[in-house]
Amino acid sequence: MEKETQSKFPTWGYILIPVILLIGLVAIFLNTNPIQVAKGELPPIENLNIQRVKLPEPGLIELNVINAGPDELTISQVIVDDAYWNFQIDPGNTLSSLEKGKISIPYPWVENEAHEVVLVTSTGITFNTGIELAVQTPAPDVKQFFAYALVGIYVGIIPVGLGMLWYPAMRRFSHKAMNFILSLTVGLLIFLVVDTFLEMVEVADQLPGVFQGLPFGLFMALLTWLSIMAIGNIKRYSDRETAQGRAFVAFLIALGIGFHNLGEGLVVGAAFALGEAALGSFLVVGFILHNLTEGIGITAPVTRDRPKFRWFLLMLLVAGAPAIPGTLIGGFAYSPLLTVLFLGIGVGAIWQVIVEVGRLLERNAKRQGESLVAWVNVAGLLAGILVMYLTAFFVKV
């Protein structure tokens, strides 16, 4: 039988040839532009995305915009409340593709009233945005820094800490009562993952299409989910029947809630900065009620153990503290892309936590010789969803 001879041509050569041909093809296409004939005299594609509206001082409106289209775009006119108005654009009236600009409009806006701004391009296409409630955008000074940090404490740390205070009482619960609490935890996590996903979809709509906001958020969710699964399979954490394994499940719950609170802080901080929410006691009480059960969910897996005080403090910081940088970023440097990033991470983290707590319930059911879909578990699941749904009425501003 004739022995097959291997070519002496190197492997890297076979890899490099298609790359060289691809580069040559792209160069030919860019230089000859064969589709120019098909385009004819069609007008340019214009897509101006308004990222943020700021009112830095009385008599001034600022808009942060980005040219989300493939062609150059020139802003020729600005209309405020149905009147043409003077304006200035930095770096200039013409923005190239994906170039950002800041539009300054010297307009005497009226506090606590609504205004509408319309941008008109050189081709006559209009892009508009509304100011629902005109309130001066806070400057990043020490006073405002502590004010937003305080909002983050109200949104995250206080309700989570209050929920964790039920830990001594939960240690005395029967196994059925604890199954109810664990099921309630799954219910609140299901609500959180749906709420976080819907917030991600809403914020993704604010991004230029080129950034593919929703796919970007979903990819981050998938990557987070797989990463947490990989960490959970490390030998020292893989056995959920040990105290260390149960503590790891509690940590995952705190981590998922932390990312949710970070995203929630971003949205809340941006809303306060735009004057779309009031720092009233009603809203604060609403956040406390809405997030109270989060602390219960964190401590539920470790009721059979006796964690030290510093462990509870660490879980409180993991779950509640992210709301503080969230409100600060949302209030002073809100970015839709950054918000989608964190919300996507939150979706992936919370989903994996749902899986972990579900497995914990399944093991408890097998240990007791009961069905996973028992009336106690179903009641807890529904109670968790219902509590989160009803308390959400207080914070949907």
Side-chain angles (χ1 to χ4, degrees), residues 8 10 17 48 50 62 84 97 182 230 255 307-308 310 323 325:
K8 294 183 179 180
I17 287 175
L48 184 67
I50 301 173
E62 287 185 355
Y84 290 94
S97 179
L182 287 172
L255 184 66
K308 295 182 179 180
R310 65 172 178 268

Side-chain angles (χ1 to χ4, degrees), residues 225-308:
W225 173 48
L226 294 176
S227 299
I228 294 177
M229 283 186 63
I231 295 172
N233 288 329
I234 297 175
K235 188 175 181 180
R236 61 183 299 189
Y237 303 125
S238 59
D239 187 1
R240 303 294 191 260
E241 295 298 326
T242 64
Q244 194 172 30
R246 289 188 292 269
F248 181 71
V249 173
F251 168 75
L252 290 182
I253 295 175
L255 184 66
I257 291 172
F259 277 113
H260 170 78
N261 285 335
L262 175 63
E264 192 174 66
L266 287 166
V267 176
V268 170
F272 288 151
L274 296 174
E276 296 177 357
L279 289 173
S281 58
F282 181 78
L283 184 63
V284 172
V285 171
F287 276 122
I288 293 175
L289 291 174
H290 184 61
N291 295 341
L292 186 64
T293 51
E294 293 177 352
I296 299 175
I298 294 169
T299 56
V302 296
T303 52
R304 294 160 54 189
D305 310 308
R306 292 183 178 274
K308 295 182 179 180

Side-chain angles (χ1 to χ4, degrees), residues 364-396:
N364 288 348
K366 288 182 178 179
R367 190 183 301 112
Q368 300 296 331
E370 300 171 350
S371 171
L372 175 63
V373 190
W375 69 266
V376 173
N377 296 348
V378 174
L381 178 71
L382 295 178
I385 296 174
L386 187 62
V387 166
M388 297 297 285
Y389 178 79
L390 292 178
T391 54
F393 283 107
F394 292 94
V395 296
K396 294 300 180 182

Side-chain angles (χ1 to χ4, degrees), residues 7-15:
S7 173
K8 294 183 179 180
F9 194 75
T11 303
W12 61 264
Y14 286 112
I15 297 174

Side-chain angles (χ1 to χ4, degrees), residues 55-123:
L55 306 176
E57 60 184 60
L60 180 63
I61 300 175
E62 287 185 355
L63 276 66
N64 294 330
V65 300
I66 181 172
N67 178 9
D71 302 313
E72 281 190 347
L73 179 149
T74 300
I75 301 172
S76 57
Q77 293 174 321
V78 171
I79 303 173
V80 185
D81 294 339
D82 298 324
Y84 290 94
W85 215 260
N86 294 326
F87 66 97
Q88 183 178 355
I89 303 180
D90 183 27
N93 290 41
T94 300
L95 301 175
S96 58
S97 179
L98 299 182
E99 185 178 7
K100 295 180 179 180
K102 183 176 75 172
I103 304 175
S104 300
I105 310 168
Y107 182 80
W109 53 269
V110 181
E111 190 172 5
N112 296 329
E113 289 194 6
H115 299 282
E116 184 178 19
V117 181
V118 180
L119 307 179
V120 186
T121 69
S122 57
T123 61

